[in-house]
Amino acid sequence: MNLKAGLSEALENAVKKSGIVSEMPEIKIETPKDKANGDFSSNVAMTLTKQAKKNPRDIAASIIEHLDESAASIKSVEIAGPGFINFFMDESSVAQVIPQVLEQGENFGRSTPEVKEKVLIEFVSANPTGDLHIGHARNASVGDTLANIMDFAGHDVEREYYINDAGNQIDNLALSIDARYLEALGQELVMPEDGYMGRDIQNIGQKIAKESPELIDTTKEDRIGMFRKLGVDYEMEKLKKDLDDFNVNFDNWFSETSLYENKEVNAALDVMIENGYTFEADGALWLRTTDFGDDKDRVLRKSDGTYTYLMPDVAYHYDKVERGFEKLINIFGADHHGYIQRLKGSLGALGKDPEMLEIKIMQMVRLIENGEEVKMSKRTGKAVTLRELIDTIGVDACRYFLAMRSSDSHLDFDMDLAKSESSDNPVYYAQYAHARICSILRQAKESGHETDKNADVSVIMNEQALDLIKKMAAFPNIVKGSAQHRATHRIATYIQELASTFHKFYNAEKVLSDDEDKTKAYLLMIEAVRQTLQNALKLVGVSAPEKM
């Protein structure tokens, strides 16, 4: 039983039966902050005012008149303010969600969408030229959480990392390794102008010099070809290890180089030329992205015959569509805002729907320690890496903190708070709720209280307990809304609310008491809460410990 879904269906049927409008509106049901306004509230009467040409309170009265209250477990209903309809639910029916949660177990909250989509989420996709930093960590946490949520909401989801293993940056990586290789063999260090000075590059150069000193006798061109692959392989192996330890696992690792090897760049370009969206000017080939809302047209092929960075990106997105994905979601860094319209425009030029592509822009993260911003690692003097965050704070706290705020807002990551074992730390607070429930269940077993799945949960009448059940029952709709709006932070917010509601119940009422019927009902209830909390934490990639 899903109270909100049942109410939504009953409300829709009442609107249809009332005959006040010919076109059904979207039924929105909210949970009021003030309990005096009921368990649920809807503004549907006010949204129908223009269409029905009636006063919203009169519309609300007509809807209520045709409402099947028993079908939706409604105890009472009232009209409030300008036309809100407030619903008070039958408390005996509220508790019936408990056996549903226990029956569905780890699948409680999972749903089947009206339209199931094949979704590709591309995220992180950092250049393989150095370590992942805090910005990449937020991207990884949000991207993986979004994939979890959309999968749980019933979509066919794949995670993909785009490896930028072609272009100038990789050329510079190879040239930097070559410089370090020659240095290790006693030659003067001559780094390229935009070379990479990191310790990694020095280590690779020294390793190759030790294992293959004879390469010094080959041509520079041949060495660069070998070092390009060696450098990318070395960096990618390290990135994959860090992401794996961060509990982020990709279904696909897509190589940019493969686009050239498989002639997909040429194929995508031919399609855009054939569709009439390209033109030549100043010796270059341009794409008319202004036809699709971009602020200016973009160069695809420069006058010297080489491609711009945009062309392989276009080919890559063409490849995504050709693989059968119906929704493309890219999670980009804050400096990629200008990419949105040009990439959407390129899909249009390829004859595809630009709205297939959604681009989420991740805002910046500030690390805060002792009340001050931390810009550099104490160990390396450079940007704080994902590896350091994992080692210092732990995966659970890191993932939770990075996913608990809307991705379109700046985030202050308080390292001291993330490391603290107190109720002020949101992930500790949530995990402690789970561990506390596990502790109560162990105590119950030790004291002879057997969990009875057939216990009568209708005996639960305590206000805090009913609030807890209602909060638990909201989880499936929270998942649906989070998936629909790509709002990963809603899951973290829900986790906090569920944990808080449990702690309030725990402080107000004893689970284990002399009242055997109530004890059995409460044991079932808290086991259902534990399961819901575990399911929600799993979506964010956070563990649910049994002891703390």
Side-chain angles (χ1 to χ4, degrees):
M1 180 200 67
N2 187 320
L3 287 174
K4 197 170 182 180
L7 179 58
S8 178
E9 184 179 344
L11 197 52
E12 184 176 331
N13 289 335
V15 173
K16 289 177 181 176
K17 288 178 183 177
S18 71
I20 53 179
V21 291
S22 57
E23 200 172 306
M24 273 301 300
E26 180 185 359
I27 302 292
K28 289 187 177 180
I29 297 173
E30 305 291 341
T31 303
K33 291 182 180 179
D34 186 347
K35 291 181 184 177
N37 294 324
D39 297 304
F40 299 108
S41 181
S42 178
N43 68 343
V44 64
M46 289 180 282
T47 64
L48 292 173
T49 304
K50 189 173 181 181
Q51 192 182 159
K53 296 182 173 60
K54 287 185 178 180
N55 181 288
R57 288 184 67 91
D58 292 339
I59 296 172
S62 181
I63 292 172
I64 292 171
E65 184 182 342
H66 294 86
L67 188 67
D68 185 350
E69 297 183 12
S70 61
S73 303
I74 299 168
K75 182 169 68 175
S76 64
V77 59
E78 66 179 25
I79 302 171
F84 288 102
I85 305 177
N86 294 339
F87 302 92
F88 298 81
M89 309 307 287
D90 179 4
E91 290 174 347
S92 64
S93 68
V94 168
Q96 296 309 312
V97 74
I98 294 171
Q100 178 194 347
V101 177
L102 297 177
E103 181 183 348
Q104 294 182 7
E106 63 183 18
N107 288 315
F108 176 64
R110 188 177 286 278
S111 61
T112 303
E114 290 183 16
V115 179
K116 182 175 182 176
E117 291 185 304
K118 189 176 181 183
V119 182
L120 183 67
I121 304 179
E122 182 213 332
F123 59 107
V124 185
S125 297
N127 292 330
T129 55
D131 293 316
L132 297 173
H133 56 60
I134 181 67
H136 298 131
R138 187 182 194 189
N139 193 301
S141 179
V142 170
D144 192 54
T145 299
L146 179 59
N148 290 338
I149 293 168
M150 294 197 71
D151 172 78
F152 214 57
H155 297 288
D156 182 3
V157 181
E158 290 189 25
R159 300 158 171 82
E160 186 155 287
Y161 188 115
Y162 180 59
I163 306 171
N164 293 274
D165 54 2
N168 291 335
Q169 289 176 315
I170 302 304
D171 289 340
N172 285 330
L173 175 69
L175 289 167
S176 301
I177 293 172
D178 188 57
R180 289 298 189 183
Y181 170 77
L182 295 175
E183 180 192 32
L185 292 174
Q187 294 193 19
E188 182 183 355
L189 177 65
V190 182
M191 290 292 284
E193 186 178 344
D194 296 317
Y196 293 99
M197 305 298 293
R199 181 69 188 171
D200 274 0
I201 310 305
Q202 193 171 357
N203 289 342
I204 297 171
Q206 291 173 348
K207 183 173 183 291
I208 299 171
K210 185 176 181 180
E211 295 174 356
S212 305
E214 71 280 0
L215 293 179
I216 196 170
D217 296 325
T218 63
T219 65
K220 184 172 184 177
E221 184 179 358
D222 287 343
R223 286 201 311 273
I224 296 303
M226 286 184 280
F227 293 169
R228 181 183 286 106
K229 185 178 186 310
L230 282 169
V232 169
D233 288 348
Y234 177 90
E235 294 293 344
M236 285 308 304
E237 183 179 350
K238 193 172 57 168
L239 296 182
K240 287 180 179 181
K241 176 69 168 66
D242 287 350
L243 288 166
D244 185 57
D245 289 347
F246 201 48
N247 295 333
V248 175
N249 299 289
F250 288 89
D251 299 293
N252 312 312
W253 300 84
F254 192 100
S255 162
E256 179 184 355
T257 299
S258 71
L259 293 169
Y260 294 96
E261 292 173 345
N262 299 329
K263 300 189 175 3
E264 291 184 83
V265 173
N266 293 338
L269 185 59
D270 289 344
V271 171
M272 291 186 291
I273 292 172
E274 186 178 335
N275 288 343
Y277 287 105
T278 62
F279 64 95
E280 292 194 25
D282 303 321
L285 185 68
W286 296 67
L287 179 64
R288 285 207 319 274
T289 52
T290 50
D291 286 7
F292 302 94
D294 198 5
D295 60 341
K296 61 182 179 180
D297 295 326
R298 307 289 172 173
V299 176
L300 294 174
R301 190 175 58 213
K302 293 181 280 189
S303 56
D304 63 2
T306 61
Y307 292 120
T308 63
Y309 67 89
L310 178 61
M311 190 57 236
D313 284 347
V314 173
Y316 174 43
H317 285 78
Y318 187 54
D319 179 273
K320 291 180 181 182
V321 177
E322 291 295 290
R323 280 185 275 155
F325 291 102
E326 299 158 312
K327 179 62 68 177
L328 313 178
I329 301 176
N330 294 356
I331 302 180
F332 286 164
D335 57 342
H336 284 64
H337 196 274
Y339 284 53
I340 298 176
Q341 286 309 126
R342 70 188 74 168
L343 280 180
K344 281 178 169 285
S346 67
L347 275 178
L350 288 163
K352 308 299 180 182
D353 180 5
E355 296 311 307
M356 290 179 66
L357 175 63
E358 295 179 21
I359 297 180
K360 288 180 66 69
I361 299 294
M362 301 294 305
Q363 293 302 325
M364 305 294 288
V365 184
R366 288 198 319 157
L367 279 177
I368 307 296
E369 190 172 28
N370 299 322
E372 296 182 358
E373 182 177 359
V374 180
K375 291 187 177 181
M376 298 295 177
S377 162
K378 293 176 183 175
R379 182 175 62 83
T380 65
K382 296 183 179 180
V384 177
T385 65
L386 171 58
R387 170 56 55 190
E388 288 176 294
L389 286 172
I390 292 173
D391 293 343
T392 305
I393 299 166
V395 173
D396 283 348
C398 195
R399 283 201 56 153
Y400 196 92
F401 270 64
L402 291 169
M404 71 181 184
R405 297 283 180 265
S406 175
S407 58
D408 60 9
S409 63
H410 291 272
L411 173 66
D412 283 350
F413 189 121
D414 189 330
M415 295 177 70
D416 298 311
L417 181 61
K419 288 185 285 187
S420 72
E421 295 183 357
S422 74
S423 59
D424 293 329
N425 179 346
V427 67
Y428 182 86
Y429 184 71
Q431 289 179 318
Y432 186 65
H434 185 273
R436 176 173 269 177
I437 293 172
C438 292
S439 175
I440 297 170
L441 294 171
R442 286 194 299 270
Q443 289 174 28
K445 193 172 183 180
E446 290 165 3
S447 58
H449 291 286
E450 292 296 328
T451 302
D452 181 2
K453 66 179 182 180
N454 296 314
D456 181 10
V457 293
S458 66
V459 303
I460 299 175
M461 300 300 289
N462 173 270
E463 182 182 357
Q464 285 81 10
L466 290 171
D467 286 345
L468 181 56
I469 295 169
K470 290 171 188 174
K471 182 60 67 177
M472 177 173 62
F475 182 54
N477 285 305
I478 294 293
V479 174
K480 286 180 185 176
S482 299
Q484 182 181 352
H485 297 285
R486 321 298 193 226
T488 53
H489 64 285
R490 291 189 185 183
I491 299 297
T493 300
Y494 173 79
I495 289 169
Q496 289 303 298
E497 291 174 351
L498 182 61
S500 173
T501 310
F502 167 74
H503 287 308
K504 285 176 184 174
F505 160 75
Y506 177 82
N507 292 329
E509 185 82 343
K510 280 189 174 181
V511 174
L512 308 178
S513 69
D514 295 333
D515 187 331
E516 190 63 24
D517 289 340
K518 192 164 72 169
T519 295
K520 286 181 177 180
Y522 277 166
L523 286 173
L524 283 187
M525 180 187 74
I526 65 168
E527 169 57 24
V529 173
R530 185 207 64 76
Q531 182 69 66
T532 306
L533 197 51
Q534 182 186 69
N535 292 359
L537 285 166
K538 188 176 180 180
L539 293 180
V540 191
V542 173
S543 67
E546 296 186 4
K547 293 182 180 180
M548 288 180 73

